[in-house]
Amino acid sequence: MSSPRRKEKGSNETNDSGYYSNGISYYLGLVCPANKTVVSQSAFLSSQNLTIEAWSSSRDHYRVVAFGYPKTMPLQKHRIPDGQEIPWTEEVKQCIQECLRKFRIQWTRISADRISSKVVLNTADEPMDTVVIESVNEDPSSFKQAATEIAGILTAAGRPEFSFQVEIRNPKLMAANSSRPLPDDRLLLRALEDAQQSILQRVKLYCGQTWTSIAFHMRGNRLQPDDLCKPTVVVFCKPGSTCDFEALELALRVLLDPIGWTTDIRPGFLSWCIQPTIQLSLPLIYRSDLPLKPEHGSSIGVRGNTTQAGSVGCWLTLKLADGTELPVLLTCYHVVVSEDKVVKDKIDQEGMHYGDTTRKVVVQYPAAFDLDANVKDVEDKATYDKLKHLSLTSEIGYVIAASGVRVNSRGRRMDWALILSPDTYRKNTLPSNATLTNRAAYPVGGLTAYKVAEGEEVRGFSQMKADAWLVKKGRTSGVTSGWVSKLDRLVQWESIKTVSYEHEVTGLVEDFADPGDSGSMVTDEHGGLAGILIGKDLCSNDLDPGFVTPFHEIHEDVMLYTNGGTLSLP
């Protein structure tokens, strides 16, 4: 089931005079003040109380708004509802054209949409009706004054002040940056690897607890070719946070300029991929396609927990030291965490070793979150009977071992749980070629690199490699694909008091994961089981990355919690 994001365009095309006298602009029958005091974007740079959103937006001189600062990119656009449209009278259109001509702004397109940041984390990101003027000007010095006067024109035409925004941008030069893979340049990568700890020290010094992660990407305007992108250290900070970002940028430049890297400081929010994402006011996504038996990416959760859901990962055989073989289901620990605070705190700290029967956590399919929602909406007897059957058979097993909340010897966050589930036990199947359509793309080589028929089984275990193509099937986003970054992301989780190093996978077509996908099985182009999805960064990029824990590290950890038990495919 795909994410509810919809990119609806409600643009209004127009084409491209006026005069200026005594501080008042006269445009046909409209009169508006021209010298209205407006805080310029550059004024933000002198303030240490600046939010990360203001800092990030104010650094882009090719994207300017009439008041405040632009919405944090990436953006979502929606059509303005009927009856609330911008007053696009012929007189208003002519006035705007005259204003643009007066400021010598060569424009290519004018549109009006309801614009918000991709993820709304605070009031600054909330939807705002916005007139967007696209320009080819390479000198943006007149953008601010022009945007302010156009806002005056629209206010004079009847649109309430501050109920809308005017933005002038150069799409090819603005910092609409996207991330791309780093090149195979060992000198470039080695220089950065040697500087990683110094980078981390500077970020901790200036940001304290406000930073969330540090990534290493090639960054550039999405309209530009790869050779114009720059190797970039991207520091992500909590939305709405404040610190001396300017001092941090200067400190990082002293370190990075000599080795050919640049820096970008922007908002970023780490999230478990459970539905709903508790920290955010995102739309709730319920699964309605509920087969009688769970499949890869099916909805699971703790018995009776109607507040969240995660994903079925994969089925494995756990062979204990005494030769006993147990049919288990692998998912994330945080998907099946106990609702009993005492039990939860204990497992968080110590993990759950096999044989511990005092902390039993029962798991159900479908998650109560989804099952309850479907029962409320049922309209026909066949569906009702199916849901009744699912509710009677919803308990699929219980947790027999779990990682708790900790970091392993490699600095990777461990977040796994094994569920004893004999009644659901089955072989693992790969996403077929037929499923690589809307949200997934083929690896380099296309059909020749990935040939998987419907029902074809996972072919073994594999090691995650830099630049590798990976695919997963999750509860919420379904089948998506992405590429593995060459350098791990440094992550500061809220629940762990140390920094971890995580493999990040950036989507090729859309976000690699959505809330509800935690626990999803991740495989590579050769059909090998590579790992499981544990989380994502929610607003860092036009295509948000997911974090994947390698299976071989999970396997090593499982051995510690099962007295040497080993995992194999069914």
Side-chain angles (χ1 to χ4, degrees):
M1 181 176 180
S2 61
S3 166
R5 300 189 188 112
R6 294 186 301 273
K7 299 178 181 178
E8 302 173 281
K9 295 185 179 180
S11 61
N12 300 280
E13 296 288 346
T14 69
N15 212 343
D16 187 84
S17 329
Y19 58 91
Y20 191 78
S21 173
N22 298 325
I24 298 290
S25 289
Y26 295 86
Y27 297 105
L28 301 178
L30 302 177
V31 182
C32 60
N35 290 340
K36 182 177 179 178
T37 301
V38 179
V39 180
S40 70
Q41 287 179 219
S42 60
F44 285 123
L45 299 179
S46 62
S47 173
Q48 292 187 16
N49 294 321
L50 168 73
T51 66
I52 182 59
E53 292 85 359
W55 165 264
S56 178
S57 297
S58 66
R59 306 298 287 164
D60 188 353
H61 303 297
Y62 291 96
R63 186 169 169 249
V64 176
V65 292
F67 58 89
Y69 54 89
K71 298 289 184 188
T72 307
M73 299 201 62
L75 304 173
Q76 288 196 94
K77 294 197 301 184
H78 302 277
R79 188 176 64 84
I80 298 174
D82 293 342
Q84 301 178 36
E85 300 94 338
I86 298 293
W88 285 120
T89 64
E90 287 303 316
E91 184 179 29
V92 167
K93 292 178 184 178
Q94 290 182 47
C95 290
I96 292 175
Q97 295 165 22
E98 291 167 0
C99 179
L100 294 171
R101 177 171 297 179
K102 182 184 74 174
F103 288 104
R104 294 183 173 83
I105 294 176
Q106 301 177 56
W107 60 276
T108 58
R109 186 173 185 268
I110 301 177
S111 62
D113 296 286
R114 182 157 292 180
I115 292 178
S116 68
S117 296
K118 181 178 179 181
V119 177
V120 177
L121 297 163
N122 51 51
T123 55
D125 297 324
E126 290 178 350
M128 172 72 79
D129 294 348
T130 306
V131 174
V132 177
I133 300 166
E134 296 182 0
S135 169
V136 296
N137 285 42
E138 296 185 4
D139 177 6
S141 59
S142 63
F143 284 7
K144 183 71 178 182
Q145 194 169 356
T148 304
E149 290 204 15
I150 291 171
I153 292 170
L154 293 170
T155 299
R159 186 66 190 248
E161 193 174 21
F162 302 123
S163 70
F164 67 96
Q165 182 66 280
V166 176
E167 178 177 323
I168 303 179
R169 62 171 72 156
N170 183 322
K172 292 185 177 180
L173 296 180
M174 70 182 189
N177 289 344
S178 62
S179 291
R180 309 178 201 186
L182 290 164
D184 292 316
D185 184 335
R186 280 310 308 166
L187 290 178
L188 183 74
L189 297 177
R190 182 59 184 271
L192 195 282
E193 288 170 341
D194 291 343
Q196 268 191 349
Q197 290 306 308
S198 296
I199 293 169
L200 181 58
Q201 290 172 6
R202 284 163 171 76
V203 172
K204 286 182 174 180
L205 175 64
Y206 289 99
C207 290
Q209 297 299 307
T210 66
W211 73 279
T212 58
S213 66
I214 305 171
F216 311 97
H217 299 160
M218 294 297 288
R219 298 276 289 175
N221 187 297
R222 65 175 64 92
L223 300 178
Q224 294 177 337
D226 289 352
D227 57 3
L228 293 181
C229 293
K230 299 178 181 179
T232 306
V233 174
V234 191
V235 180
F236 297 103
C237 296
K238 295 176 184 177
S241 62
T242 60
C243 73
D244 197 340
F245 299 111
E246 187 170 15
L248 172 61
E249 183 181 64
L250 291 172
L252 290 176
R253 287 184 59 184
V254 169
L255 186 64
L256 297 173
D257 285 353
I259 61 174
W261 285 70
T262 186
T263 186
D264 186 9
I265 306 170
R266 55 182 296 105
F269 187 87
L270 300 174
S271 170
W272 300 129
C273 284
I274 53 176
Q275 177 65 223
T277 300
I278 298 170
Q279 305 96 321
L280 303 176
S281 299
L282 293 176
L284 297 181
I285 304 170
Y286 298 97
R287 285 299 296 260
S288 57
D289 52 330
L290 303 174
L292 291 177
K293 290 283 188 179
E295 303 171 348
H296 296 294
S298 286
S299 155
I300 59 171
V302 173
R303 179 180 60 186
N305 186 336
T306 59
T307 63
Q308 66 181 51
S311 292
V312 166
C314 58
W315 286 269
L316 300 164
T317 298
L318 172 64
K319 186 174 183 178
L320 302 174
D322 64 3
T324 303
E325 294 187 350
L326 301 174
V328 297
L329 173 61
L330 174 66
T331 190
C332 282
Y333 165 62
H334 71 262
V335 170
V336 293
V337 67
S338 175
E339 292 187 281
D340 184 316
K341 187 177 186 307
V342 174
V343 173
K344 175 187 178 300
D345 290 346
K346 198 73 172 174
I347 300 177
D348 281 356
Q349 296 170 21
E350 302 174 359
M352 178 189 286
H353 289 77
Y354 176 74
D356 183 352
T357 59
T358 64
R359 307 170 187 171
K360 193 171 183 179
V361 180
V362 179
V363 179
Q364 74 171 73
Y365 162 79
F369 176 82
D370 288 316
L371 186 58
D372 284 15
N374 280 273
V375 168
K376 292 175 183 177
D377 295 336
V378 66
E379 295 180 353
D380 61 273
K381 186 177 185 303
T383 302
Y384 174 81
D385 290 344
K386 175 185 173 182
L387 293 174
K388 183 177 180 180
H389 173 78
L390 285 171
S391 66
L392 293 173
T393 61
S394 62
E395 293 184 12
I396 62 170
Y398 60 93
V399 178
I400 59 171
S403 62
V405 180
R406 30 179 282 281
V407 171
N408 69 5
S409 59
R410 292 184 175 88
R412 201 93 59 209
R413 178 177 183 131
M414 290 290 99
D415 188 349
W416 58 265
L418 296 180
I419 304 163
L420 183 64
S421 185
D423 292 341
T424 69
Y425 192 65
R426 50 166 287 182
K427 292 184 181 295
N428 301 290
T429 55
L430 296 162
S432 68
N433 287 69
T435 63
L436 303 187
T437 53
N438 297 329
R439 296 197 62 169
Y442 285 104
V444 176
L447 284 168
T448 60
Y450 190 78
K451 286 187 176 181
V452 176
E454 190 70 32
E456 194 166 336
E457 297 173 11
V458 171
R459 300 164 186 167
F461 301 127
S462 64
Q463 298 263 353
M464 285 181 61
K465 298 178 181 179
D467 285 342
W469 177 91
L470 299 178
V471 63
K472 73 106 187 70
K473 182 181 180 182
R475 169 199 169 278
T476 309
S477 62
V479 177
T480 61
S481 62
W483 52 271
V484 183
S485 178
K486 283 189 173 68
L487 298 174
D488 289 345
R489 186 184 286 218
L490 280 62
V491 176
Q492 180 172 242
W493 300 100
E494 291 278 359
S495 53
I496 299 181
K497 304 305 179 185
T498 187
V499 175
S500 70
Y501 294 75
E502 307 297 340
H503 287 312
E504 61 172 325
V505 183
T506 301
L508 288 167
V509 180
E510 291 201 29
D511 296 347
F512 187 70
D514 278 336
D517 290 338
S518 276
S520 301
M521 175 180 72
V522 181
T523 55
D524 65 12
E525 64 183 277
H526 306 296
L529 174 57
I532 62 170
L533 177 84
I534 66 168
K536 68 174 292 184
D537 196 326
L538 264 168
C539 57
S540 65
N541 201 4
D542 53 345
L543 298 176
D544 292 341
F547 302 123
V548 176
T549 303
F551 177 76
H552 71 276
E553 293 186 26
I554 294 173
H555 195 180
E556 292 172 356
D557 215 48
V558 166
M559 294 177 71
L560 297 176
Y561 283 82
T562 58
N563 298 315
T566 58
L567 296 171
S568 60
L569 293 171

